[in-house]
Amino acid sequence: MNLQDGYDEQAFRRVLEYLPHDVRNKVAKYRLEQDARREMVSAVLKRIIACEINGIELREADFLRDGFGKPSLKGFPDFHFNVSHAMDWVVCAVTAEGPIGVDIENVGEAEPEVAQLCFSPKELSEWNEQPGHLRNEFFYELWTLKESYVKAIGKGLSLDFSSFEKVKTGDAIYISHQGVIDPELYLRSISFDINYKLAACLSIEDRYINFQNYTLAEIISRFMELIDREI
């Protein structure tokens, strides 16, 4: 969903009142309104999806994080989700099939120092071979694919990005660790906005992606419906 699509300051403040204390504190710490808005919308979006899919009330949506920061919904081990945001967009990926990770990035100027640290030798060579006008796109597409994988397996920044690499087999994309392909997960790049790269890492059983876009007004309306049910 696009944060600029249907934004209403008054509605934003009203929704914030109904979020948990820790979320409100986190939102309040941001100096830039855009950052605060992304944090709030991320919190709202995952709660709406958790409640609607699992048939629970808002007060029952209790989110936890493990030692690596991987999120989960307490009491619902088969509800797998992941959230990412960048600039004007917030995305939430959900499945019941197994681990899932998602990452979205605004395509900017690629950073050679980051590529040196996070790309495998093969990936680095492929990036260097790209024509000038494609280098940034290649960089962010590869970054989102690898980031989505790390989020899916729940290792966070503890995993050295250069220790694994993207491998394409036919139409499918996998991750290889020292020549051994991870057979449980596959990756997808999703096209939706020319200024962004979006990637998802899913269970090998989860072959279908249903991409839905909502306006901010729609999200706020659905959240307030959950609130009204509890008042």
Side-chain angles (χ1 to χ4, degrees):
M1 61 167 292
N2 192 305
L3 297 180
Q4 303 297 338
D5 193 359
Y7 177 67
D8 182 300
E9 175 68 21
Q10 186 174 1
F12 175 91
R13 297 301 171 190
R14 185 184 178 202
V15 166
L16 197 58
E17 294 176 3
Y18 292 101
L19 288 170
H21 185 68
D22 62 325
V23 176
R24 296 200 304 271
N25 281 345
K26 195 170 183 180
V27 171
K29 290 179 180 178
Y30 289 106
R31 291 184 293 177
L32 297 179
E33 181 185 344
Q34 186 75 349
D35 293 334
R37 196 185 304 179
R38 278 194 292 267
E39 187 65 39
M40 185 275 281
V41 171
S42 297
V44 168
L45 186 58
K46 69 181 182 181
R47 282 168 170 79
I48 291 172
I49 293 173
C51 290
E52 293 181 351
I53 288 181
N54 296 295
I56 61 176
E57 300 297 325
L58 191 58
R59 62 178 177 273
E60 300 175 273
D62 187 5
F63 293 93
L64 307 172
R65 286 187 180 273
D66 64 16
F68 292 102
K70 186 175 176 63
S72 63
L73 179 64
K74 185 177 180 179
F76 294 86
D78 293 328
F79 177 70
H80 304 276
F81 73 97
N82 199 235
V83 178
S84 182
H85 51 70
M87 300 295 285
D88 293 335
W89 288 92
V90 175
V91 294
C92 182
V94 181
T95 183
E97 299 297 336
I100 190 167
V102 66
D103 189 53
I104 182 172
E105 299 288 343
N106 178 235
V107 177
E109 191 68 27
E111 301 179 40
E113 298 83 0
V114 175
Q116 290 281 352
L117 289 172
C118 299
F119 292 175
S120 71
K122 179 182 176 183
E123 291 169 339
L124 195 59
S125 177
E126 290 176 351
W127 178 62
N128 285 322
E129 291 171 359
Q130 298 300 308
H133 66 289
L134 294 179
R135 286 171 64 82
N136 292 337
E137 286 199 19
F138 183 94
F139 177 94
Y140 282 97
E141 179 170 321
L142 181 55
W143 174 269
T144 54
L145 287 167
K146 299 185 78 167
E147 178 74 14
S148 70
Y149 176 77
V150 169
K151 294 176 75 174
I153 63 175
K155 292 295 181 66
L157 296 177
S158 66
L159 187 62
D160 180 0
F161 271 43
S162 67
S163 68
F164 60 94
E165 63 186 17
K166 178 194 77 171
V167 175
K168 192 166 184 179
T169 304
D171 294 329
I173 302 174
Y174 300 93
I175 288 294
S176 171
H177 294 263
Q178 297 181 338
V180 179
I181 291 177
D182 184 339
E184 303 296 328
L185 298 168
Y186 80 104
L187 300 94
R188 289 271 299 275
S189 285
I190 304 167
S191 299
F192 79 108
D193 186 312
I194 60 173
N195 296 313
Y196 292 80
K197 290 296 181 180
L198 173 63
C201 180
L202 310 98
S203 164
I204 202 69
E205 304 296 329
D206 202 355
R207 288 290 183 179
Y208 178 69
I209 293 180
N210 180 19
F211 185 79
Q212 300 181 38
N213 187 17
Y214 302 102
T215 66
L216 188 51
E218 287 173 327
I219 292 299
I220 289 176
S221 176
R222 287 164 66 181
F223 186 74
M224 294 313 298
E225 287 177 8
L226 292 173
I227 294 294
D228 292 340
R229 279 169 28 189
E230 297 190 355
I231 296 178

